[in-house]
Amino acid sequence: MNEKVIAMKKIRWGILSTAKIGVEKVIPAIQASTHSEVMAISSQSLDKARVAATKLGIPKVYGSYEELLDDPDIDAIYNPLPNHLHVDWSVKAIRAGKHVLCEKPIGLSTKEAEQLLAAATAQPELKVMEAFMYRFHPQWQRARQLVDEGAIGNLGAIQSFFSYYNVDAANIRNRTDVGGGGLMDIGCYCLSLSRFIFGAEPRRVMGAMLHDDSFGTDYLTSGLLDFGSGTSVFTCSTQLAPYQRVNILGTTGRIEIEIPFNAPPDQPCRMWLQTNGKLEEIIFATCNQYTLQAEVFCQAILDNTAVPTPLTDAVDNMRVLEGIVESARSGSWVVIS
Ligand SMILES: NC(=O)c1ccc[n+]([C@@H]2O[C@H](COP(=O)([O-])OP(=O)(O)OC[C@H]3O[C@@H](n4cnc5c(N)ncnc54)[C@H](OP(=O)(O)O)[C@@H]3O)[C@@H](O)[C@H]2O)c1
C-alpha cells in the first residue's frame, strides 16, 4: 500500500470538468465522505473552474484537464465528462498514476471499455470503477440479498422503467457526437441492474429503438434480456413523463423498488416485498448513495482491496448495450454469452 495514503487517511480528489452531475450532486457527496478531500477542479474554461471551486470550497483550479492530471498532490480522479470522453481521459488519468471513478456508461463501445480495462490491468495498484452509484444504496443491497436468499422463490422476471422529458438540443443526452441517447444515458441502468440481480450475463438480447429525427439519438428504447432461467424487460425514454420503477418477480413473491435509480439524499426510500400474498413495506433510512459510493471507493484505495464493481462488469454491461443496438438494427436476437 502507498505509505503516503496510509499516513493521511484521506484520498485527495481532482475533478475533470464542471459537469452538472459533479457540481450539483457528486462533488458535495464526495466532500461529505469520511476519507475524501476534494483538492482541485479543472475545466476547459478557467473561469468556469473558478466559479465551481468558489461554490464548493475547492482549493485548486485548473484551466485544462491535463494540468489536473499533472498535479502530484491528486490521488484520485472523478470523471463526469460526456460519454465519448470517458475512456480517453480515464486512460490518461491512469497513465498519470491516478485512481479513477468514471461516470456511466463506461464508454461508447465494448472495444473502448476493453481499452480502459487493459490500461487498468497494466497498473493494478490503481483502483478504477464505473460510477453506477445505485448499487451502493442499501435498497439494492437488500434486493440482491433477498433474491439470493430465496425470499421470492426462484427469480423469474425483472421489469424496469426509467424516463424523463428533455428536448434541449444542446444537452449531451440529445447529441450523437458526444455519445448521447436514452439507452446510453439511462437504459444502461436497466441492463446493469438486471445483470446485478440475476448475478449472470444474459444469453441473448432483443431491442427496439426509436430515434429523434432532428437529434439522431434514441429517445425511446425497449429491450428483452434472456437469462435462461428468466427474463428482464425494460423501457427507457428521454421524451416521456419522468418515472422510474423496478419490479423483481420470483415464484413465491416480488420486490418493488419505488425510486430505484435517483434515490433522494434527503428522504427515506421505500421497497415493497410481497411473499405468499403478504405485503411488507421496507423503509430505508435517508442516505446519499453518491457518498456511499465515495466511501467504498476510498476504502478500496486505503485497504488496497478490489473495488466492489470490477471493470469487467463495465465491459460486460457495454456488451449487452451493444447487443440491444445491434438487435434493434437487425430485428433479430443477438447472442451475448
Ligand atoms: N451517476 C449519475 O447519477 C449521473 C447523473 C447524470 C449524469 N451522469 C453522467 O455524467 C456525465 C456528465 O453528465 P452531465 O449531465 O453532468 O453533463 P454536462 O453538465 O453536460 O457536463 C459535461 C461537462 O464536460 C465538459 N466537456 C468537455 N468536452 C465537452 C463536449 N465536447 N461537449 C460537452 N461538454 C464537454 C464540460 O465541462 P468544462 O467546460 O468544465 O470542461 C461540460 O460541462 C455523463 O457521462 C452522464 O452519463 C451520471
Side-chain angles (χ1 to χ4, degrees):
M1 203 195 304
N2 181 332
E3 282 170 22
K4 216 165 51 175
V5 169
I6 299 176
M8 64 187 181
K9 291 279 181 199
K10 288 244 183 204
I11 303 304
R12 298 164 304 177
W13 290 80
I15 313 295
L16 284 177
S17 89
T18 57
K20 189 168 176 228
I21 183 64
V23 171
E24 292 187 359
K25 303 224 167 109
V26 181
I27 299 171
I30 292 175
Q31 288 173 318
S33 70
T34 323
H35 299 293
S36 296
E37 203 174 348
V38 177
M39 290 288 288
I41 186 163
S42 60
S43 170
Q44 301 165 112
S45 143
L46 189 56
D47 283 348
K48 277 169 71 181
R50 283 199 181 113
V51 170
T54 303
K55 178 180 154 113
L56 294 162
I58 300 173
K60 286 191 195 176
V61 290
Y62 290 114
S64 75
Y65 308 146
E66 287 88 352
E67 286 170 272
L68 179 78
L69 298 190
D70 286 343
D71 183 340
D73 292 335
I74 299 297
D75 304 307
I77 295 292
Y78 167 57
N79 179 356
L81 290 167
N83 302 337
H84 73 304
L85 298 176
H86 284 179
V87 168
D88 192 19
W89 281 97
S90 293
V91 168
K92 283 180 180 150
I94 291 169
R95 294 202 175 131
K98 315 294 187 195
H99 304 280
V100 178
L101 178 66
C102 179
E103 269 307 338
K104 41 52 65 178
I106 201 69
L108 298 179
S109 64
T110 309
K111 196 171 154 210
E112 243 204 350
E114 282 169 342
Q115 286 164 6
L116 179 57
L117 178 62
T121 308
Q123 277 170 264
E125 74 283 9
L126 298 176
K127 308 299 167 194
V128 184
M129 188 171 84
E130 184 178 31
F132 265 127
M133 73 305 175
Y134 80 93
R135 286 194 184 181
F136 304 108
H137 194 285
Q139 65 183 357
W140 277 103
Q141 298 287 328
R142 186 72 181 278
R144 169 90 191 239
Q145 185 195 6
L146 287 167
V147 170
D148 288 351
E149 286 171 351
I152 59 168
N154 296 328
L155 174 63
I158 298 176
Q159 197 188 41
S160 58
F161 199 96
F162 197 173
S163 62
Y164 56 75
Y165 193 87
N166 180 333
V167 289
D168 172 7
N171 191 283
I172 56 168
R173 288 150 191 83
N174 296 321
R175 290 172 50 192
T176 53
D177 61 326
V178 298
L183 180 61
M184 290 289 276
D185 191 47
I186 46 178
C188 62
Y189 286 98
C190 301
L191 308 178
S192 173
L193 77 88
S194 303
R195 298 173 42 260
F196 180 60
I197 292 297
F198 269 99
E201 297 307 314
R203 297 191 314 187
R204 55 183 190 156
V205 300
M206 225 180 192
M209 303 177 85
L210 300 178
H211 292 86
D212 185 281
D213 287 343
S214 56
F215 304 147
T217 48
D218 63 301
Y219 68 91
L220 198 160
T221 292
S222 294
L224 167 59
L225 284 60
D226 175 5
F227 285 88
S229 59
T231 58
S232 172
V233 291
F234 76 91
T235 292
C236 64
S237 178
T238 59
Q239 292 183 29
L240 284 176
Y243 182 63
Q244 50 187 274
R245 192 58 61 95
V246 170
N247 265 292
I248 303 169
L249 289 99
T251 47
T252 59
R254 73 175 184 93
I255 295 165
E256 182 173 350
I257 304 179
E258 187 183 29
I259 312 178
F261 309 115
N262 299 124
D266 53 0
Q267 65 185 70
C269 283
R270 285 192 301 182
M271 164 193 282
W272 294 280
L273 171 65
Q274 188 169 0
T275 46
N276 300 311
K278 196 175 126 256
L279 188 66
E280 183 190 345
E281 184 171 87
I282 303 174
I283 308 278
F284 295 90
T286 302
C287 67
N288 185 322
Q289 57 188 347
Y290 299 105
T291 299
L292 294 172
Q293 173 175 255
E295 299 282 14
V296 296
F297 187 73
C298 290
Q299 207 59 57
I301 297 173
L302 292 167
D303 298 344
N304 194 18
T305 51
V307 288
T309 314
L311 258 189
T312 47
D313 184 89
V315 174
D316 290 340
N317 211 54
M318 234 32 245
R319 188 170 294 115
V320 177
L321 191 148
E322 279 187 325
I324 296 285
V325 175
E326 196 185 323
S327 166
R329 261 195 223 115
S330 67
S332 307
W333 284 102
V334 169
V335 174
I336 303 291
S337 59

